[in-house]
């Protein structure tokens, strides 16, 4: 092993066979040494001086040849202080989540990571924004609960073991909360979520089931891609990070890990810099925005003066500004808690319930917290289904919070940042107890995917862009083509034309008032008729049901109905004799006649 001339780029430790290049930023006037540890030893075996005069600017660098990377670990000694490389690719000494590291300054070190990995031909999926149905999860909390029934709980491998479940639900993108190496052991609490200062270039060692977080994160991404699922990483950089470093970090995960996109905090890193980067144009850049969430939560619980905002939320296109649609996310209530609590219950966080969002736009449906009242529970079930319909019938890219599809609860805690326990973990036992909501959400996702008019690639204009006689999107109410957007109104009808996307027309009737309301149905066009695709409270129908009244329908309070258009069926010829020309019966009329005959027969029997 010998020291030789190195390169100032890239930062960190770059392994090239039996040669490793080291580069680190050090301010002028400070001393710097490279410390090399024999694996398993508590103190450095050898150190190499990195003098300022041999560097360039504030970068010190050197290379070590004839070294076996698997047998060594490293740190830097900067101005007499042992320092972990800010660009370290993988750490050792943090293998157990929540366990405080040894007091020794040499306990945490950088691994020397070889770049070789068998991707088996993998590449980023590049799914169109409008085809994505995303799912937000915490890698540890997603499978850590005993009810998850996976062999490798709380790990990257645990996510792999849940891929069949995600595919069955209809998910084709997962958005992972921080998977980089953060310090979870604070003075008083556990930093469960992972926000704050971190070694951003290193995947979290405690999320690995074996001895290589690098390999297992790549395994997770490769297996997700193989199943048609994109992987997006949440990267909420702190304000201290430079824009240059943030860009380098995202490029690194894009190129080294085949990551499909990132959720960024635009207040830490200027959005304009990220979106202008030529390499990052190959991935999806997203930013959290609670506009859709707050609008839909307020509409859901029946707030007045929301119709105009709801119209915007329904047609807004995520690809324009990278803002996904979500009604629940890790910050705030779960979907079940949203309809079960009027206010937050964060007492277990130890901050006198002062932490977490104060304004949740939630409604407990008549009782705070757990309830045995049938009316309360029925209303909560209905409201959760309404929430999923609002989310999955909007044009933007929807994102579901893990566990919401089977009533997962955090007991009213809307800020589980420090709850590395059953409060913060997804409780899969609720799915085993009652899978009705899971099946309902699965049907909604399938319906959305089946109808391109519900998730169009281009932002809608409210214009007849295909000369079909219908605008791409139109709004209705008690009267067709007219919206009552006044303060008291809580109903809205929306028709999406399928003309430009080779689809049927679809109509969604939203009534968030507690009273029933009539809706006038716009004509779907010559030779077409409306069929009911869903029945409030019963989900999507396998075979759309006929509407006897093609002009009007009444929607019960706090309900949503979905309609699809179909061509009218012409009656089959039954004889050779020429008959007087009769109006063609619609499919709906035929169904109504069958039902009448059936009822008549039953009456005769009685």
């Amino acid at each position: 092993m010998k020291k030789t001339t190195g390169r100032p780029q890239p930062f960190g430790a770059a392994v090239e066979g039996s040669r490793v290049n080291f580069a680190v930023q050090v301010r002028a006037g400070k001393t710097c040494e490279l410390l090399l540890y024999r694996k398993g030893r508590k103190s450095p075996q050898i150190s190499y001086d990195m003098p300022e005069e041999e560097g360039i600017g504030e970068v010190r660098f050197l290379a070590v040849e004839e070294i076996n990377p698997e047998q060594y670990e490293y740190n830097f000694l900067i101005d007499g202080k042992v320092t972990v490389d800010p660009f370290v690719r993988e750490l050792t000494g943090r293998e157990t989540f929540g366990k405080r590291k040894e007091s020794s300054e040499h306990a945490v070190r950088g691994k020397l990571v070889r770049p070789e990995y068998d991707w088996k031909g993998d590449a980023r999926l590049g799914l169109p924004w409008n085809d994505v149905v995303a799912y937000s999860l915490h890698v540890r909390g997603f499978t850590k609960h005993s009810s998850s029934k996976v062999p490798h709980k709380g790990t990257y491998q645990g996510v792999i073991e849940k891929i069949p479940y995600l595919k069955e639900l209809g998910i084709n993108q997962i958005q992972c909360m921080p998977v980089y190496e953060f310090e979870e052991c604070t003075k008083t609490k556990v930093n469960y979520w992972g926000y704050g200062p971190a070694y951003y270039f290193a995947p979290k060692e405690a999320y690995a089931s074996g001895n290589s977080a690098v390999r297992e994160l790549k395994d997770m991404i490769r297996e997700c891609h193989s199943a048609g699922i994109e992987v997006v990483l949440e990267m909420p950089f702190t304000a201290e990070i430079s824009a240059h470093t943030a860009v380098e970090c995202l490029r690194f995960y894009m190129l080294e890990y085949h990551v499909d996109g990132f959720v960024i905090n635009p207040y830490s890193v200027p959005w304009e810099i990220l979106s202008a980067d030529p390499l990052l144009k190959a991935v999806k850049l997203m930013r959290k925005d609670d506009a859709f969430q707050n609008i839909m939560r307020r509409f859901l619980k029946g707030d007045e003066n929301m119709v105009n905002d709801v119209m915007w939320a329904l047609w807004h296109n995520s690809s324009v500004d990278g803002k996904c649609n979500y009604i629940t996310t890790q910050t705030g209530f779960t979907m079940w808690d949203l309809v079960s609590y009027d206010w937050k219950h964060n007492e277990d966080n130890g901050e006198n319930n002062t932490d977490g969002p104060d304004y949740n736009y939630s409604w407990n449906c008549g009782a705070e917290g757990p309830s045995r009242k049938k009316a309360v529970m029925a209303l909560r079930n209905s409201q959760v289904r309404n929430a999923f319909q609002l989310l999955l019938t909007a044009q933007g890219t929807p994102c579901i919070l893990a566990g919401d599809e089977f009533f997962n609860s955090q007991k009213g805690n809307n800020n589980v940042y420090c709850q590395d326990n059953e409060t913060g973990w997804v409780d899969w036992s609720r799915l085993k107890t009652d899978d009705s909501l899971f099946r309902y959400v699965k049907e909604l996702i399938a319906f959305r995917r089946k109808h391109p008019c519900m998730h169009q690639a281009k932002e809608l204009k409210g214009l007849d862009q295909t000369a079909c006689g219908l605008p791409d999107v139109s709004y209705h109410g008690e009267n067709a083509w007219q919206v009552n957007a006044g303060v008291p109104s809580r109903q809205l009808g929306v028709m999406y034309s399928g003309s430009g996307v080779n689809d049927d027309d679809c109509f969604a009737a939203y009534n968030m008032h507690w009273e029933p309301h009539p809706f006038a149905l716009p004509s779907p066009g010559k030779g077409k008729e409306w069929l009911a695709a869903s029945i409030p409270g019963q989900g999507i129908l396998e075979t759309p049901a006929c509407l006897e009244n093609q002009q009007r329908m009444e929607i019960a309070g706090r309900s949503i109905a979905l309609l699809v258009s179909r061509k009218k069926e012409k009656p089959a010829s039954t004889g050779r004799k020429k008959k007087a020309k009769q109006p063609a019966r619609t499919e709906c009329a035929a169904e109504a006649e069958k039902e009448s005959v059936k009822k008549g027969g039953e009456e005769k029997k009685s």
Side-chain angles (χ1 to χ4, degrees):
M1 185 163 46
K2 62 180 181 179
K3 174 183 172 182
T4 186
T5 304
R7 303 185 309 275
Q9 289 287 315
F11 282 170
V15 179
E16 303 163 350
S18 61
R19 183 180 191 273
V20 183
N21 189 83
F22 297 90
V24 62
Q25 182 179 357
V26 181
R27 288 184 180 177
K30 294 189 174 185
T31 61
C32 180
E33 294 179 42
L34 169 67
L35 305 179
L36 289 176
Y37 306 79
R38 187 80 177 184
K39 198 171 181 180
R41 303 282 178 87
K42 291 187 176 182
S43 55
Q45 175 180 315
I46 193 170
S47 66
Y48 292 109
D49 189 29
M50 303 177 76
E52 185 174 357
E53 58 270 20
E54 293 181 8
I56 298 177
E58 289 189 346
V59 181
R60 314 285 178 89
F61 52 93
L62 60 78
V64 176
E65 294 181 339
E66 299 175 12
I67 181 175
N68 184 344
E70 284 79 11
Q71 295 179 1
Y72 286 89
E73 296 157 352
Y74 77 103
N75 276 327
F76 294 108
L77 185 68
I78 300 176
D79 242 17
K81 182 181 179 181
V82 176
T83 305
V84 177
D85 178 9
F87 285 77
V88 66
R89 301 302 194 253
E90 188 170 12
L91 284 182
T92 183
R94 289 188 174 177
E95 291 80 8
T96 305
F97 192 90
K99 182 181 178 182
R100 295 187 181 279
K101 61 180 181 288
E102 296 177 28
S103 57
S104 169
E105 61 183 354
H106 300 288
V108 177
R109 313 166 188 172
K111 291 184 179 181
L112 299 177
V113 180
R114 288 190 181 277
E116 293 83 13
Y117 176 78
D118 185 5
W119 281 104
K120 299 181 180 178
D122 175 80
R124 292 184 303 280
L125 296 181
L127 300 178
W129 279 84
N130 59 303
D131 288 343
V132 168
V133 177
Y135 191 86
S136 176
L137 60 84
H138 185 287
V139 167
R140 178 172 170 83
F142 186 49
T143 61
K144 185 60 179 175
H145 198 283
S146 60
S147 60
S148 70
K149 303 298 182 184
V150 299
H152 302 92
K153 295 177 175 59
T155 65
Y156 306 114
Q157 184 64 33
V159 174
I160 294 175
E161 289 156 359
K162 284 293 185 183
I163 286 177
Y165 168 84
L166 295 171
K167 281 184 64 68
E168 182 184 357
L169 181 59
I171 299 302
N172 57 9
Q173 182 188 94
I174 58 172
Q175 297 183 6
C176 302
M177 291 181 67
V179 300
Y180 48 67
E181 195 62 75
F182 58 88
E183 176 56 83
E184 71 271 14
C185 296
T186 65
K187 291 181 179 179
T188 57
K189 300 173 185 176
V190 173
N191 177 16
Y192 170 58
W193 281 353
Y195 298 156
Y199 298 102
Y200 295 112
F201 291 79
K204 187 112 184 101
E205 201 71 15
Y207 291 172
S209 59
N211 59 9
S212 175
V214 169
R215 186 184 67 251
E216 292 193 29
L217 177 57
K218 289 180 178 179
D219 287 347
M220 186 190 86
I221 294 170
R222 185 187 65 193
E223 294 307 310
C224 282
H225 285 175
S226 179
I229 299 173
E230 290 187 330
V231 178
V232 169
L233 301 184
E234 187 175 352
M235 302 292 289
F237 299 113
T238 60
E240 292 76 23
I241 195 169
S242 70
H244 172 76
T245 300
V247 169
E248 285 298 307
C249 184
L250 301 187
R251 286 177 169 181
F252 171 73
Y253 278 103
M254 181 193 80
L255 298 171
E256 186 70 20
Y257 285 87
H258 295 193
V259 169
D260 300 276
F262 304 94
V263 180
I264 308 297
N265 179 359
Y267 300 105
S268 298
V269 183
W271 184 259
E272 295 74 19
I273 292 177
L274 297 177
S275 58
D277 184 81
L279 278 177
L280 295 181
K281 289 183 182 295
V283 298
K284 295 180 176 71
L285 294 179
M286 308 176 185
R287 47 183 167 180
K288 285 288 181 72
D289 182 89
D290 59 8
F292 182 93
Q293 169 192 277
N294 293 342
I295 289 168
M296 290 310 189
R297 285 186 176 191
R298 294 186 63 191
F299 188 53
L300 177 69
K301 74 186 187 75
D303 280 1
E304 60 184 17
N305 199 30
M306 296 304 300
V307 171
N308 282 319
D309 288 340
V310 171
M311 286 193 289
W312 171 85
L314 288 172
W315 65 253
H316 175 260
N317 191 304
S318 296
S319 65
V320 174
D321 53 16
K323 296 175 182 177
C324 288
N325 293 340
Y326 56 87
I327 292 180
T328 52
T329 184
Q330 73 271 11
T331 302
F333 287 137
T334 65
M335 194 78 84
W336 182 248
D337 289 356
L338 184 69
V339 300
S340 302
Y341 296 90
D342 273 357
W343 46 82
K344 62 186 180 182
H345 294 266
N346 298 356
E347 291 81 6
D348 288 347
N349 292 356
E351 299 182 42
N352 296 318
N353 208 33
T354 59
D355 63 303
D358 290 320
Y359 299 100
N360 297 281
Y361 305 111
S362 61
W363 177 47
N364 64 21
C365 296
E368 187 71 2
S371 175
R372 292 184 179 180
K373 295 180 179 179
K374 291 184 178 180
V376 170
M377 295 300 287
L379 181 54
R380 287 177 180 175
N381 274 274
S382 176
Q383 285 289 82
V384 166
R385 284 165 169 76
N386 286 337
F388 273 110
Q389 288 219 48
L390 289 170
L391 177 65
L392 291 166
T393 59
Q395 288 291 317
T397 301
C399 185
I400 297 169
L401 179 63
D404 273 354
E405 72 278 11
F406 50 80
F407 307 111
N408 186 57
S409 173
Q410 293 172 175
K411 304 172 186 176
N413 192 321
N414 74 351
N415 190 35
V416 296
Y417 76 100
C418 59
Q419 298 294 331
D420 179 38
N421 50 46
E422 294 192 354
T423 298
W425 303 336
V426 174
D427 183 356
W428 292 83
S429 65
R430 287 175 170 256
L431 177 62
K432 186 177 181 180
T433 303
D434 181 4
D435 70 346
S436 61
L437 181 60
F438 168 82
R439 289 185 281 106
Y440 185 88
V441 176
K442 176 182 172 181
E443 290 169 358
L444 274 175
I445 294 173
F447 177 82
R448 176 186 176 88
R449 188 155 287 136
K450 181 179 179 181
H451 291 284
C453 72
M454 303 293 292
H455 56 104
Q456 301 194 40
K458 295 181 179 178
E459 193 162 62
L460 305 181
K461 304 292 185 182
L463 303 173
D464 182 2
Q465 300 191 64
T466 60
C468 68
L470 292 173
D472 49 18
V473 60
S474 54
Y475 303 100
H476 312 268
E478 292 192 13
N479 297 307
W481 307 100
Q482 296 180 29
V483 178
N484 181 359
V487 171
S489 178
R490 297 169 173 87
Q491 72 175 107
L492 176 66
V494 184
M495 180 167 69
Y496 296 110
S497 171
S499 173
V501 287
N502 194 29
D503 189 20
D504 307 311
D505 305 320
C506 290
F507 183 86
Y510 306 94
N511 180 19
M512 293 297 98
H513 197 204
W514 45 91
E515 299 289 343
H517 280 278
F519 282 74
L521 302 180
S523 171
K526 189 176 180 180
K528 294 182 180 180
E529 59 189 351
W530 289 116
L531 284 74
S534 74
I535 297 177
Q538 296 184 34
I540 304 296
L541 303 176
E542 283 189 24
T543 303
C546 294
L547 292 179
E548 291 187 26
N549 189 335
Q550 288 285 309
Q551 282 75 46
R552 297 184 74 78
M553 68 185 302
E554 186 171 272
I555 305 297
R558 301 192 188 281
S559 295
I560 301 171
L562 296 176
L563 310 180
V564 294
S565 67
R566 291 286 192 275
K567 287 184 178 180
K568 296 177 183 177
E569 290 188 0
K570 293 182 179 179
S573 176
T574 55
R576 295 180 182 177
K577 273 190 177 182
K578 259 193 172 180
K579 295 185 179 179
K581 195 171 183 181
Q582 299 290 333
R585 290 188 308 161
T586 66
E587 183 184 345
C588 295
E591 287 292 328
E593 184 178 322
K594 288 179 185 177
E595 189 64 25
S596 176
V597 171
K598 182 180 176 183
K599 286 183 179 177
E602 290 173 351
E603 287 173 2
K604 284 181 181 179
K605 286 181 182 178
S606 63

